[in-house]
Amino acid sequence: MDKSFFKKVENKTGLSIDEIMNLANALTHADFTDERQVRKIVKKVSQIANKPITKEMEEKIVQSIVKDGHSLDFSKIEKLMR
């Protein structure tokens, strides 16, 4: 793949390709019914995105994901963060 594509992604997101790939791998293989695993992912995404969240918001996001259990609904998470 064209290296300039990766450079554009890095510039746009502020993340290294390694960070993006690690996050994608974690999401791909995550058990969204495991609260501890979901909590780790939520914290990591918050950290990578440089968007701190309160414990209350973290709890809402985690419970929402665990409740659904089978998938990650980004639109639902986005609504919770507003």
Coordinates of all heavy atoms in Angstrom, one line a residue:
M1 N 0.8 -1.2 0.0 CA 0.0 0.0 0.0 C 0.9 1.2 0.0 O 2.0 1.2 0.5 CB -0.9 0.0 1.2 CG -1.9 1.1 1.2 SD -3.2 0.9 2.4 CE -4.4 0.0 1.5
D2 N 0.4 2.3 -0.5 CA 1.1 3.6 -0.7 C 1.4 4.1 0.7 O 0.5 4.4 1.5 CB 0.2 4.5 -1.5 CG 0.9 5.8 -1.8 OD1 2.1 6.0 -1.6 OD2 0.2 6.7 -2.3
K3 N 2.7 4.4 0.9 CA 3.1 5.0 2.2 C 2.5 6.3 2.5 O 2.3 6.7 3.6 CB 4.6 5.0 2.3 CG 5.3 3.7 2.5 CD 6.8 3.8 2.6 CE 7.4 2.4 2.7 NZ 8.8 2.5 3.0
S4 N 2.2 7.1 1.4 CA 1.7 8.4 1.6 C 0.3 8.3 2.2 O -0.2 9.2 3.0 CB 1.6 9.2 0.3 OG 0.7 8.6 -0.6
F5 N -0.5 7.2 2.0 CA -1.8 7.0 2.6 C -1.6 7.0 4.1 O -2.4 7.6 4.8 CB -2.4 5.7 2.1 CG -3.6 5.3 2.8 CD1 -4.8 6.0 2.6 CD2 -3.5 4.3 3.8 CE1 -6.0 5.6 3.3 CE2 -4.7 3.9 4.5 CZ -5.9 4.6 4.3
F6 N -0.7 6.2 4.6 CA -0.4 6.0 6.0 C 0.0 7.4 6.6 O -0.4 7.7 7.7 CB 0.6 5.0 6.3 CG 0.1 3.6 6.0 CD1 0.8 2.8 5.0 CD2 -1.0 3.0 6.6 CE1 0.4 1.5 4.7 CE2 -1.4 1.7 6.3 CZ -0.7 1.0 5.4
K7 N 0.8 8.1 5.9 CA 1.2 9.4 6.4 C 0.0 10.4 6.5 O -0.1 11.1 7.5 CB 2.3 10.0 5.5 CG 3.1 11.1 6.1 CD 3.8 10.5 7.3 CE 5.0 11.2 7.7 NZ 5.4 10.9 9.0
K8 N -0.9 10.3 5.6 CA -2.1 11.1 5.6 C -2.9 10.8 6.8 O -3.5 11.6 7.5 CB -2.9 11.0 4.3 CG -2.3 11.7 3.2 CD -3.1 11.5 1.9 CE -2.4 12.1 0.7 NZ -3.1 11.8 -0.6
V9 N -3.1 9.5 7.1 CA -3.9 9.0 8.2 C -3.2 9.5 9.5 O -3.9 10.0 10.4 CB -4.0 7.5 8.2 CG1 -4.7 7.0 9.5 CG2 -4.9 7.0 7.0
E10 N -1.9 9.3 9.6 CA -1.2 9.8 10.8 C -1.4 11.3 11.0 O -1.6 11.7 12.2 CB 0.3 9.4 10.7 CG 0.6 8.0 10.9 CD 2.0 7.6 10.8 OE1 2.8 8.4 10.1 OE2 2.4 6.5 11.3
N11 N -1.3 12.1 10.0 CA -1.4 13.5 10.1 C -2.8 13.9 10.5 O -3.0 14.8 11.3 CB -1.0 14.2 8.8 CG 0.5 14.1 8.5 OD1 1.3 13.9 9.4 ND2 0.9 14.2 7.3
K12 N -3.8 13.2 9.9 CA -5.2 13.5 10.2 C -5.6 13.2 11.6 O -6.3 13.9 12.2 CB -6.1 12.8 9.2 CG -7.5 13.0 9.3 CD -8.0 14.0 8.3 CE -9.5 14.1 8.4 NZ -10.0 15.3 8.0
T13 N -5.2 12.0 12.1 CA -5.6 11.6 13.4 C -4.7 11.9 14.5 O -5.1 11.9 15.7 CB -5.7 10.0 13.4 OG1 -4.4 9.4 13.2 CG2 -6.7 9.5 12.4
G14 N -3.4 12.2 14.2 CA -2.4 12.5 15.2 C -1.9 11.2 15.9 O -1.3 11.2 16.9
L15 N -2.3 10.1 15.3 CA -1.9 8.7 15.9 C -1.0 8.1 14.9 O -1.1 8.2 13.7 CB -3.2 7.9 16.0 CG -4.3 8.4 16.9 CD1 -5.5 7.5 16.8 CD2 -3.8 8.5 18.3
S16 N -0.1 7.3 15.5 CA 0.8 6.5 14.6 C 0.0 5.3 14.0 O -1.0 4.9 14.6 CB 2.0 5.9 15.4 OG 1.6 4.9 16.3
I17 N 0.5 4.8 12.9 CA -0.2 3.6 12.3 C -0.2 2.4 13.3 O -1.2 1.7 13.4 CB 0.5 3.2 11.0 CG1 0.2 4.3 9.9 CG2 0.0 1.9 10.5 CD1 -1.3 4.5 9.7
D18 N 0.9 2.3 14.1 CA 0.9 1.2 15.1 C -0.2 1.3 16.1 O -0.9 0.4 16.5 CB 2.3 1.2 15.8 CG 3.4 0.7 14.9 OD1 3.1 0.0 13.9 OD2 4.5 1.0 15.2
E19 N -0.5 2.6 16.6 CA -1.6 2.8 17.5 C -2.9 2.5 16.9 O -3.8 1.8 17.5 CB -1.6 4.2 18.0 CG -0.5 4.6 19.0 CD -0.4 6.1 19.3 OE1 -0.5 6.9 18.4 OE2 -0.4 6.4 20.5
I20 N -3.1 2.9 15.7 CA -4.4 2.6 15.0 C -4.6 1.1 14.8 O -5.6 0.6 15.0 CB -4.4 3.4 13.6 CG1 -4.4 4.9 13.9 CG2 -5.6 2.9 12.8 CD1 -4.2 5.7 12.6
M21 N -3.5 0.4 14.4 CA -3.6 -1.0 14.1 C -3.8 -1.8 15.4 O -4.6 -2.7 15.5 CB -2.3 -1.5 13.4 CG -2.2 -0.9 12.0 SD -3.6 -1.2 10.9 CE -3.3 -2.9 10.6
N22 N -3.2 -1.3 16.5 CA -3.4 -2.0 17.8 C -4.8 -1.8 18.3 O -5.4 -2.8 18.8 CB -2.4 -1.4 18.9 CG -1.0 -1.9 18.7 OD1 -0.8 -2.9 18.0 ND2 0.0 -1.2 19.2
L23 N -5.4 -0.6 18.1 CA -6.7 -0.4 18.5 C -7.7 -1.2 17.6 O -8.6 -1.8 18.2 CB -7.1 1.1 18.4 CG -8.5 1.5 18.8 CD1 -8.8 1.1 20.2 CD2 -8.7 3.0 18.6
A24 N -7.5 -1.2 16.4 CA -8.3 -2.0 15.5 C -8.3 -3.5 15.8 O -9.3 -4.2 15.8 CB -7.9 -1.8 14.0
N25 N -7.1 -4.0 16.2 CA -7.0 -5.4 16.6 C -7.7 -5.6 17.9 O -8.4 -6.7 18.0 CB -5.5 -5.7 16.7 CG -5.3 -7.2 16.9 OD1 -5.9 -8.0 16.2 ND2 -4.4 -7.6 17.8
A26 N -7.6 -4.7 18.8 CA -8.3 -4.9 20.1 C -9.8 -4.9 19.9 O -10.5 -5.7 20.5 CB -7.9 -3.8 21.1
L27 N -10.3 -4.0 19.0 CA -11.7 -4.0 18.7 C -12.2 -5.2 18.0 O -13.3 -5.7 18.2 CB -12.1 -2.7 17.9 CG -11.9 -1.4 18.7 CD1 -12.1 -0.2 17.7 CD2 -12.9 -1.3 19.8
T28 N -11.4 -5.7 17.1 CA -11.8 -6.9 16.3 C -11.9 -8.1 17.1 O -12.8 -8.9 16.9 CB -10.7 -7.1 15.2 OG1 -10.6 -6.0 14.3 CG2 -11.1 -8.3 14.3
H29 N -11.1 -8.3 18.1 CA -11.0 -9.5 18.9 C -11.7 -9.3 20.3 O -11.6 -10.2 21.1 CB -9.6 -10.0 19.1 CG -9.0 -10.3 17.7 ND1 -9.4 -11.3 16.9 CD2 -8.0 -9.7 17.1 CE1 -8.7 -11.4 15.8 NE2 -7.8 -10.4 15.9
A30 N -12.3 -8.2 20.5 CA -12.9 -7.9 21.8 C -14.1 -8.7 22.1 O -14.9 -9.0 21.2 CB -13.2 -6.4 22.0
D31 N -14.3 -9.1 23.4 CA -15.5 -9.7 23.9 C -16.3 -8.6 24.5 O -16.0 -8.1 25.6 CB -15.2 -10.8 24.9 CG -16.4 -11.4 25.6 OD1 -17.6 -10.9 25.2 OD2 -16.3 -12.2 26.4
F32 N -17.3 -8.1 23.8 CA -18.1 -6.9 24.3 C -19.0 -7.2 25.4 O -19.8 -6.4 25.9 CB -18.8 -6.2 23.1 CG -17.8 -5.6 22.2 CD1 -17.7 -6.1 20.9 CD2 -17.0 -4.5 22.5 CE1 -16.8 -5.5 20.0 CE2 -16.1 -3.9 21.6 CZ -16.0 -4.5 20.4
T33 N -19.0 -8.5 25.9 CA -19.8 -8.8 27.1 C -18.9 -8.8 28.3 O -19.4 -8.9 29.4 CB -20.4 -10.2 26.9 OG1 -19.4 -11.2 26.8 CG2 -21.4 -10.2 25.8
D34 N -17.6 -8.7 28.2 CA -16.6 -8.7 29.3 C -16.4 -7.2 29.7 O -15.7 -6.4 29.0 CB -15.3 -9.3 28.8 CG -14.3 -9.3 29.9 OD1 -14.4 -8.7 30.9 OD2 -13.3 -10.1 29.7
E35 N -17.0 -6.9 30.8 CA -16.9 -5.5 31.3 C -15.5 -5.0 31.5 O -15.2 -3.8 31.1 CB -17.7 -5.3 32.6 CG -17.8 -3.9 33.1 CD -18.6 -3.7 34.3 OE1 -19.6 -4.5 34.5 OE2 -18.3 -2.8 35.1
R36 N -14.6 -5.8 32.0 CA -13.2 -5.4 32.2 C -12.5 -5.0 30.9 O -11.8 -4.1 30.8 CB -12.4 -6.4 33.0 CG -12.8 -6.5 34.4 CD -11.9 -7.3 35.3 NE -10.7 -7.9 34.7 CZ -10.4 -9.2 34.7 NH1 -11.1 -10.0 35.4 NH2 -9.3 -9.6 34.1
Q37 N -12.8 -5.9 29.9 CA -12.2 -5.7 28.6 C -12.7 -4.4 27.9 O -12.0 -3.6 27.4 CB -12.4 -6.9 27.7 CG -11.6 -6.9 26.4 CD -11.8 -8.2 25.6 OE1 -12.7 -8.9 25.8 NE2 -10.8 -8.4 24.8
V38 N -14.0 -4.2 28.0 CA -14.7 -3.1 27.4 C -14.2 -1.8 28.1 O -13.9 -0.8 27.5 CB -16.2 -3.2 27.5 CG1 -16.9 -1.9 27.2 CG2 -16.7 -4.3 26.7
R39 N -14.0 -1.8 29.4 CA -13.6 -0.7 30.2 C -12.1 -0.3 29.7 O -11.8 0.9 29.5 CB -13.6 -1.0 31.7 CG -13.4 0.3 32.5 CD -13.7 0.0 34.0 NE -15.0 -0.5 34.3 CZ -16.1 0.2 34.3 NH1 -16.0 1.5 34.2 NH2 -17.3 -0.3 34.6
K40 N -11.3 -1.3 29.5 CA -9.9 -1.0 29.0 C -10.0 -0.3 27.7 O -9.2 0.6 27.4 CB -9.1 -2.3 28.9 CG -8.5 -2.8 30.2 CD -7.8 -4.1 30.1 CE -6.5 -3.9 29.3 NZ -5.7 -5.1 29.2
I41 N -10.8 -0.8 26.8 CA -10.9 -0.3 25.4 C -11.4 1.2 25.5 O -10.9 2.1 24.8 CB -11.8 -1.1 24.5 CG1 -11.1 -2.5 24.2 CG2 -12.2 -0.4 23.2 CD1 -12.0 -3.5 23.6
V42 N -12.5 1.4 26.3 CA -13.0 2.8 26.5 C -11.9 3.7 27.0 O -11.8 4.8 26.4 CB -14.3 2.8 27.4 CG1 -14.7 4.2 27.8 CG2 -15.4 2.0 26.7
K43 N -11.2 3.3 28.0 CA -10.1 4.2 28.5 C -9.0 4.4 27.4 O -8.5 5.5 27.3 CB -9.5 3.5 29.7 CG -10.3 3.6 30.9 CD -9.7 2.9 32.1 CE -10.6 2.9 33.3 NZ -10.0 2.3 34.5
K44 N -8.7 3.4 26.7 CA -7.7 3.5 25.6 C -8.1 4.5 24.5 O -7.4 5.3 24.1 CB -7.3 2.1 25.0 CG -6.2 2.2 24.1 CD -4.9 2.6 24.7 CE -3.7 2.4 23.8 NZ -2.5 3.0 24.3
V45 N -9.4 4.3 24.1 CA -9.9 5.2 23.1 C -9.9 6.7 23.5 O -9.5 7.6 22.8 CB -11.3 4.8 22.6 CG1 -12.0 5.8 21.7 CG2 -11.2 3.4 21.9
S46 N -10.4 6.9 24.8 CA -10.4 8.2 25.4 C -9.0 8.8 25.4 O -8.8 9.9 25.0 CB -10.9 8.1 26.8 OG -10.8 9.4 27.4
Q47 N -8.0 8.0 25.8 CA -6.6 8.4 25.8 C -6.1 8.7 24.4 O -5.5 9.8 24.2 CB -5.8 7.3 26.5 CG -4.3 7.7 26.6 CD -3.5 6.5 27.1 OE1 -3.9 5.3 26.9 NE2 -2.3 6.8 27.6
I48 N -6.3 7.8 23.5 CA -5.8 8.0 22.1 C -6.4 9.3 21.5 O -5.8 10.1 20.8 CB -6.0 6.8 21.3 CG1 -5.1 5.7 21.7 CG2 -5.9 7.1 19.8 CD1 -5.4 4.3 21.0
A49 N -7.7 9.4 21.7 CA -8.5 10.6 21.1 C -8.2 11.9 21.9 O -8.6 12.9 21.5 CB -9.9 10.3 21.2
N50 N -7.5 11.8 23.0 CA -7.2 12.9 23.8 C -8.5 13.6 24.3 O -8.6 14.8 24.2 CB -6.3 13.9 23.1 CG -5.6 14.9 24.1 OD1 -5.5 14.6 25.3 ND2 -5.2 16.0 23.6
K51 N -9.5 12.8 24.6 CA -10.8 13.3 25.0 C -11.1 12.6 26.4 O -11.7 11.5 26.5 CB -11.9 12.8 24.1 CG -11.8 13.4 22.7 CD -12.3 14.8 22.7 CE -12.2 15.3 21.3 NZ -12.7 16.7 21.2
P52 N -10.6 13.3 27.5 CA -10.9 12.7 28.8 C -12.4 12.6 29.1 O -13.2 13.4 28.6 CB -10.2 13.7 29.8 CG -9.5 14.7 28.9 CD -9.9 14.6 27.5
I53 N -12.7 11.5 29.8 CA -14.1 11.3 30.2 C -14.2 11.1 31.7 O -13.2 10.6 32.3 CB -14.8 10.1 29.4 CG1 -14.0 8.8 29.7 CG2 -14.9 10.4 28.0 CD1 -14.6 7.6 29.1
T54 N -15.3 11.5 32.2 CA -15.5 11.3 33.7 C -15.8 9.9 34.0 O -16.1 9.1 33.1 CB -16.7 12.2 34.2 OG1 -17.9 11.6 33.5 CG2 -16.5 13.6 33.8
K55 N -15.6 9.5 35.2 CA -15.9 8.1 35.6 C -17.4 7.8 35.3 O -17.7 6.7 34.9 CB -15.7 7.9 37.1 CG -14.2 7.9 37.5 CD -13.6 6.6 37.0 CE -12.2 6.4 37.4 NZ -11.6 5.2 36.8
E56 N -18.3 8.8 35.5 CA -19.7 8.6 35.3 C -19.9 8.3 33.8 O -20.7 7.4 33.4 CB -20.5 9.9 35.7 CG -22.0 9.8 35.4 CD -22.7 11.1 35.8 OE1 -22.5 11.5 37.0 OE2 -23.4 11.6 35.0
M57 N -19.3 9.1 32.9 CA -19.4 8.9 31.5 C -18.8 7.5 31.0 O -19.4 6.8 30.2 CB -18.7 10.0 30.7 CG -18.9 9.9 29.2 SD -20.6 9.9 28.6 CE -21.2 11.4 29.1
E58 N -17.7 7.2 31.6 CA -17.1 5.9 31.3 C -18.0 4.8 31.7 O -18.2 3.8 30.9 CB -15.8 5.7 32.1 CG -15.1 4.4 32.0 CD -13.9 4.2 32.9 OE1 -13.1 5.2 33.0 OE2 -13.8 3.2 33.5
E59 N -18.7 4.9 32.9 CA -19.6 3.9 33.3 C -20.8 3.8 32.4 O -21.2 2.7 32.0 CB -20.1 4.2 34.7 CG -20.9 3.1 35.4 CD -20.1 1.8 35.6 OE1 -18.9 1.9 35.8 OE2 -20.8 0.8 35.5
K60 N -21.3 4.9 31.9 CA -22.5 4.9 31.0 C -22.1 4.2 29.7 O -22.8 3.4 29.1 CB -22.9 6.3 30.7 CG -23.7 6.9 31.8 CD -24.2 8.3 31.3 CE -25.0 9.0 32.4 NZ -25.3 10.4 32.0
I61 N -20.9 4.5 29.1 CA -20.4 3.9 27.9 C -20.2 2.5 28.0 O -20.7 1.6 27.2 CB -19.2 4.6 27.4 CG1 -19.5 6.1 27.0 CG2 -18.6 3.9 26.2 CD1 -18.2 6.9 26.8
V62 N -19.5 2.1 29.1 CA -19.2 0.6 29.3 C -20.5 -0.2 29.5 O -20.7 -1.2 28.8 CB -18.3 0.5 30.6 CG1 -18.3 -1.0 31.0 CG2 -16.9 1.0 30.3
Q63 N -21.5 0.3 30.3 CA -22.7 -0.4 30.5 C -23.5 -0.5 29.2 O -24.2 -1.5 28.9 CB -23.5 0.3 31.6 CG -22.9 0.1 33.0 CD -22.5 -1.3 33.3 OE1 -23.3 -2.3 33.1 NE2 -21.3 -1.5 33.8
S64 N -23.5 0.6 28.4 CA -24.2 0.5 27.1 C -23.6 -0.5 26.2 O -24.4 -1.3 25.6 CB -24.1 1.9 26.5 OG -24.7 1.9 25.2
I65 N -22.3 -0.6 26.1 CA -21.7 -1.6 25.3 C -21.9 -3.0 25.8 O -22.3 -3.9 25.0 CB -20.2 -1.3 25.2 CG1 -19.9 0.0 24.4 CG2 -19.4 -2.4 24.4 CD1 -18.5 0.5 24.5
V66 N -21.7 -3.2 27.1 CA -21.9 -4.5 27.7 C -23.3 -5.0 27.6 O -23.6 -6.2 27.3 CB -21.4 -4.5 29.2 CG1 -21.8 -5.8 29.9 CG2 -19.9 -4.3 29.2
K67 N -24.3 -4.1 27.7 CA -25.7 -4.5 27.6 C -26.0 -5.0 26.2 O -26.7 -6.0 26.1 CB -26.5 -3.2 27.9 CG -28.0 -3.5 27.9 CD -28.8 -2.3 28.3 CE -29.7 -1.9 27.2 NZ -30.4 -0.7 27.4
D68 N -25.5 -4.3 25.2 CA -25.7 -4.8 23.8 C -24.9 -6.1 23.6 O -25.3 -7.0 22.9 CB -25.3 -3.7 22.8 CG -26.3 -2.6 22.8 OD1 -27.4 -2.8 23.3 OD2 -26.0 -1.5 22.2
G69 N -23.6 -6.1 24.0 CA -22.8 -7.3 24.1 C -22.3 -7.8 22.8 O -21.2 -8.4 22.7
H70 N -23.0 -7.7 21.7 CA -22.6 -8.3 20.5 C -21.9 -7.4 19.5 O -21.3 -7.8 18.5 CB -23.8 -9.0 19.8 CG -24.9 -8.1 19.4 ND1 -25.8 -7.6 20.4 CD2 -25.2 -7.5 18.3 CE1 -26.6 -6.8 19.8 NE2 -26.3 -6.7 18.5
S71 N -22.1 -6.1 19.7 CA -21.5 -5.2 18.7 C -21.2 -3.8 19.4 O -21.6 -3.6 20.5 CB -22.4 -4.9 17.5 OG -23.6 -4.3 18.0
L72 N -20.5 -3.0 18.7 CA -20.1 -1.7 19.2 C -20.8 -0.6 18.3 O -20.6 -0.5 17.1 CB -18.6 -1.5 19.1 CG -18.0 -0.3 19.7 CD1 -18.3 -0.2 21.2 CD2 -16.5 -0.3 19.5
D73 N -21.8 0.1 18.9 CA -22.6 1.0 18.2 C -22.0 2.4 18.5 O -22.3 3.1 19.5 CB -24.0 1.0 18.7 CG -25.0 1.9 18.0 OD1 -24.5 2.7 17.2 OD2 -26.2 1.7 18.1
F74 N -21.2 2.9 17.5 CA -20.5 4.2 17.7 C -21.5 5.3 17.8 O -21.2 6.3 18.5 CB -19.5 4.4 16.6 CG -18.3 3.6 16.7 CD1 -18.0 2.5 15.9 CD2 -17.3 3.8 17.7 CE1 -16.9 1.7 16.0 CE2 -16.2 3.1 17.9 CZ -16.0 2.0 17.0
S75 N -22.6 5.3 17.1 CA -23.6 6.4 17.1 C -24.2 6.5 18.5 O -24.4 7.6 19.0 CB -24.7 6.2 16.0 OG -25.4 5.0 16.3
K76 N -24.4 5.4 19.1 CA -25.0 5.4 20.5 C -23.9 6.0 21.5 O -24.3 6.8 22.3 CB -25.3 3.9 20.9 CG -26.1 3.8 22.2 CD -26.6 2.4 22.4 CE -27.5 2.2 23.5 NZ -27.9 0.8 23.7
I77 N -22.7 5.6 21.3 CA -21.6 6.2 22.2 C -21.5 7.7 21.9 O -21.3 8.4 22.9 CB -20.3 5.4 21.9 CG1 -20.4 4.0 22.4 CG2 -19.1 6.1 22.6 CD1 -19.3 3.1 22.0
E78 N -21.6 8.1 20.7 CA -21.4 9.5 20.4 C -22.6 10.3 21.0 O -22.3 11.3 21.6 CB -21.5 9.7 18.9 CG -21.3 11.1 18.4 CD -21.4 11.3 16.9 OE1 -21.7 10.3 16.2 OE2 -21.1 12.4 16.5
K79 N -23.8 9.7 21.0 CA -24.9 10.4 21.7 C -24.7 10.5 23.2 O -25.0 11.5 23.8 CB -26.2 9.7 21.4 CG -26.7 9.9 20.0 CD -27.9 9.0 19.7 CE -28.3 9.1 18.2 NZ -29.4 8.2 17.9
L80 N -24.1 9.5 23.8 CA -23.8 9.5 25.2 C -22.8 10.6 25.6 O -22.9 11.2 26.7 CB -23.3 8.2 25.7 CG -24.3 7.0 25.9 CD1 -23.5 5.7 26.2 CD2 -25.2 7.3 27.0
M81 N -21.9 10.9 24.7 CA -20.8 11.8 25.0 C -21.3 13.3 24.8 O -20.5 14.2 25.1 CB -19.6 11.5 24.2 CG -19.0 10.1 24.6 SD -17.5 9.8 23.8 CE -16.4 10.9 24.7
R82 N -22.4 13.5 24.2 CA -22.9 14.9 24.0 C -23.4 15.5 25.3 O -23.8 15.0 26.2 CB -23.9 14.9 22.9 CG -23.3 14.6 21.6 CD -24.3 14.8 20.5 NE -23.7 14.4 19.3 CZ -24.3 14.3 18.1 NH1 -25.6 14.6 18.1 NH2 -23.7 14.0 17.1

